[in-house]
Amino acid sequence: MNTSGPVEQGLRIIPFRGLRYVPERVGSLAAVTSPPYDVVVRPDGLHHLESADPHNIVRLILPQADTARDRHRQAAATLDRWLAEGVIAPDPDPVLYVYEQRNDEILQRGVIGAVALSPAADGIVLPHEDVMDDVVADRAELMRTTGAHLEPLLLTYRSDEGPVAGTAAVIERTVRREPLLATTTEDGFRHRLWAVTEASDRAEIESDLARHQALIADGHHRWATYLRLQREQTAPGPWDFGLVLLVDTARHPLQVRAIHRLLRGLPVPRALEALTGLFRVRPVAGPLPRALDALAEAAAGGNAFLLAGDGGFHLVDRPDPALLARTVRKDRPDAWRTLDATVLHSALLDAVWRIPDAPEHIGYIHDTAAAVEQAERLNATAVLMHPVREEVVRDLARQGVTMPRKSTSFGPKPATGLVMRSLAFD
């Protein structure tokens, strides 16, 4: 599989009537946005966003109630109420959108639209990570109840080298116009959104993307949710498409970060004791940035992890080859067998620490400092990971090999709340 050039059958993207906040009805557009649902650090991040504005999007993507059914019903009722009150309104016509986010170091531009769903075997949209069934079930019930796609996935593709043409050319023409919206979020990113209204521009994008396949950079669980809900339908319709942001990484490379593990119920001393004779374990000096530098240096030579939660930092590397030989699957490529996430889940979590991969035992946290803080507060162990190189991710995806769940965090991710898709308006 080749994500960098023309394919026999590629991406199919169609316009949709975006749901957007009405600026006059909210405090500010920045105050109603949120990171993707799985990046919000709960509960502190959730409470912060809820207090930012009574209409913050977290009330839809992370509703709070006693039961899952009540949460999903609450989200649907909230969405209906905001539509009735004019807090959110659909755009008048189906369009594609050009989305830009930038700060002092990064410029990312892409196209938001509804992409035709396809299984991985078709080689059009390629996953690179496994998913957790309970998360897919929860997202499916939320989407089913609200009848909406509340946040776009992040898909990447690579255009051909040469003159600016196709989607890239339309984007460059579009950003010269006044945007539909512009806002700056508290992380310092400036966001702008445009509607692609000319039929010729939309046709140029659709024709260009039909030559490409895409890699799921962020949103594996939501893509799996799209596919599950599509299978439930008895006739073709809006459920055959999913809300995505498509970014050409030949022009706008993404950053790849690690996702860290919080091992609830496992104090650091007990975690370290179990590693005796199986890994090399060394204390490293803080503060956190300095300890992460030590992790990066060790990771250059093989598998390495940084454990925290007891007020210090412990570098874990040089796994026992015999341990790996008996715990890591042999029917996968070497690039998969030597991944840190593979070794962590197969050797450490399954064989050494014997921790079930369930939400009550393992948390997945994107922010390094938040992982350490939560581990210290809960007397738990944070396992800090070093990021995987993007080329490793792509090579495995081309081979049809998925990485362990939550192996990577591509970014910058689209802000949630700038444009949504209600299937009722398609």
Side-chain angles (χ1 to χ4, degrees), residues 103-371:
N103 60 14
D104 294 339
E105 300 174 351
I106 297 170
L107 170 63
Q108 182 196 86
R109 289 172 177 158
V111 172
I112 295 177
V115 162
L117 305 181
S118 60
D122 288 357
I124 299 172
V125 177
L126 303 177
H128 70 267
E129 287 184 355
D130 297 329
V131 297
M132 293 175 277
D133 289 341
D134 61 312
V135 176
V136 174
D138 178 76
R139 291 294 103 181
E141 186 58 30
L142 178 64
M143 288 187 200
R144 191 184 295 113
T145 307
T146 59
H149 295 163
L150 300 171
E151 44 189 338
L153 282 66
L154 176 58
L155 304 186
T156 70
Y157 69 101
R158 294 185 66 82
S159 64
D160 302 326
E161 295 182 4
V164 176
T167 304
V170 175
I171 289 174
E172 290 201 3
R173 292 195 298 269
T174 302
V175 298
R176 299 190 188 109
R177 306 198 312 259
E178 283 296 310
L180 291 174
L181 65 82
T183 190
T184 302
T185 46
E186 64 180 4
D187 58 4
F189 272 93
R190 302 183 291 280
H191 306 262
R192 296 196 293 173
L193 188 76
W194 294 263
V196 180
T197 56
E198 293 293 330
S200 59
D201 285 341
R202 293 205 301 269
E204 190 170 353
I205 290 173
E206 292 166 9
S207 175
D208 179 39
L209 292 178
R211 302 169 49 248
H212 294 284
Q213 57 188 175
L215 177 75
I216 301 176
D218 185 69
H220 282 80
H221 289 89
R222 283 166 284 161
W223 183 260
T225 299
Y226 289 166
L227 293 173
R228 174 180 292 193
L229 295 177
Q230 181 191 37
R231 291 193 295 270
E232 296 177 1
Q233 309 310 309
T234 58
W239 293 100
D240 294 325
F241 296 83
L243 180 63
V244 306
L245 165 65
L246 275 157
V247 173
D248 176 5
T249 54
R251 301 186 182 279
H252 302 288
L254 269 61
Q255 297 178 326
V256 187
R257 294 190 172 92
I259 301 176
H260 312 292
R261 274 62 170 164
L262 176 68
L263 308 184
R264 303 183 177 97
L266 180 66
V268 173
R270 211 165 78 218
L272 295 175
E273 182 181 2
L275 300 179
T276 303
L278 299 174
F279 285 79
R280 182 175 68 168
V281 180
R282 294 173 290 159
V284 295
L288 179 57
R290 183 177 176 184
L292 290 173
D293 287 342
L295 173 62
E297 183 178 347
N303 299 119
F305 313 93
L306 191 66
L307 272 53
D310 62 348
F313 299 100
H314 310 270
L315 186 62
V316 175
D317 64 355
R318 297 188 183 178
D320 175 22
L323 172 68
L324 301 185
R326 71 171 183 269
T327 59
V328 177
R329 292 176 56 171
K330 296 177 174 60
D331 60 344
R332 295 291 179 94
D334 286 345
W336 183 90
R337 289 171 49 80
T338 55
L339 288 169
D340 286 339
T342 298
V343 172
L344 172 63
H345 282 264
S346 299
L348 283 169
L349 296 178
D350 291 350
V352 177
W353 292 327
R354 300 184 182 279
I355 298 177
D357 194 356
E360 61 269 28
H361 297 287
I362 303 176
Y364 293 86
I365 301 178
H366 292 71
D367 183 83
T368 310

Side-chain angles (χ1 to χ4, degrees), residues 1-19:
M1 298 179 183
N2 182 359
T3 61
S4 62
V7 292
E8 192 171 314
Q9 179 186 9
L11 296 160
R12 181 186 172 205
I13 188 169
I14 63 171
F16 68 102
R17 292 179 66 191
L19 290 186

